[in-house]
Amino acid sequence: ITDSAVGVGDIGDKGNKFEFIDSDAEKYKWSNKLVIDTAPAKIERIESSFTNNDLSLGGCCETVDGKEVYYCNEGKLINLFVVFSESVKVSGEATLKLSSGSEATYSSGSGSEKLCFSYTVGVGDNTDGNLKVDGINGKIFDYAENELKGFSETDGVIKNANENEKEKKLVIDTK
């Protein structure tokens, strides 16, 4: 890119993203921004169909220490939603490694900030406490082709979509 390509516009620094704003864009009918993005999308939170109050899936609920605890047994379908800091796309197959010993399979959401993964509780799936995501397998990219890298233990905690609600736990119990 040369000075003449960007015109006399402003250059803004937003962390790992740089925006070139061309003041002549309207005059020449081209896009007035060029964004250089060098950082992959970040995981903001992981939600579930249960923590989002979609209880049509069944399950047993009780309150323990002020928290709603949902017990899911064999055959229950659970949708897990990974919410990112920006829109992402999935290339090929993607899965979530779960603390129950199983995997959730990518089902929808490529092109948005929220990917949906589906998991059906299987025979012998159990958790010691709350279900967690232990990792992501597959190719997930932002629109600048930055691949998702790394996964921390805090990324895998399944949270409420509404932070003002009472905390909920999702326990897998097939015993």
Side-chain angles (χ1 to χ4, degrees), residues 48-55 61-62 66-70 130-131 157-162 165-171:
S48 80
S49 47
F50 279 81
T51 57
N52 283 346
N53 291 322
D54 177 6
L55 302 181
C61 176
E62 67 181 4
K67 299 173 185 165
E68 291 179 13
V69 180
Y70 294 91
N130 203 21
L131 178 68
V157 176
I158 298 171
K159 301 178 180 175
N160 298 356
N162 180 349
E165 288 183 1
K166 185 187 305 185
E167 186 179 342
K168 299 174 185 173
K169 289 188 158 208
L170 183 58
V171 177

Side-chain angles (χ1 to χ4, degrees), residues 34-163:
L34 167 66
V35 178
I36 300 173
D37 180 356
T38 60
K42 292 185 172 86
I43 296 172
E44 301 239 320
R45 68 185 175 279
I46 299 175
E47 305 167 355
S48 80
S49 47
F50 279 81
T51 57
N52 283 346
N53 291 322
D54 177 6
L55 302 181
S56 61
L57 302 175
C60 176
C61 176
E62 67 181 4
T63 302
V64 178
D65 297 327
K67 299 173 185 165
E68 291 179 13
V69 180
Y70 294 91
Y71 294 94
C72 297
N73 53 20
E74 182 184 343
K76 297 294 182 202
L77 172 68
I78 300 169
N79 289 313
L80 298 170
F81 305 95
V82 181
V83 181
F84 293 90
S85 58
E86 62 184 290
S87 294
V88 295
K89 53 189 174 179
V90 177
S91 176
E93 294 182 19
T95 59
L96 300 178
K97 183 179 175 193
L98 304 175
S99 60
S100 65
S102 291
E103 290 186 336
T105 305
Y106 166 74
S107 56
S108 65
S110 190
S112 73
E113 294 175 4
K114 186 185 263 190
L115 299 181
C116 179
F117 292 80
S118 298
Y119 161 57
T120 301
V121 178
V123 176
D125 288 358
N126 294 292
T127 58
D128 265 350
N130 203 21
L131 178 68
K132 294 184 184 105
V133 176
D134 291 335
I136 296 180
N137 300 312
K139 303 281 185 186
I140 298 173
F141 300 90
D142 65 13
Y143 275 89
E145 299 295 324
N146 298 308
E147 186 176 355
L148 179 68
K149 301 258 187 227
F151 188 86
S152 74
E153 189 173 310
T154 56
D155 288 337
V157 176
I158 298 171
K159 301 178 180 175
N160 298 356
N162 180 349
E163 294 178 9

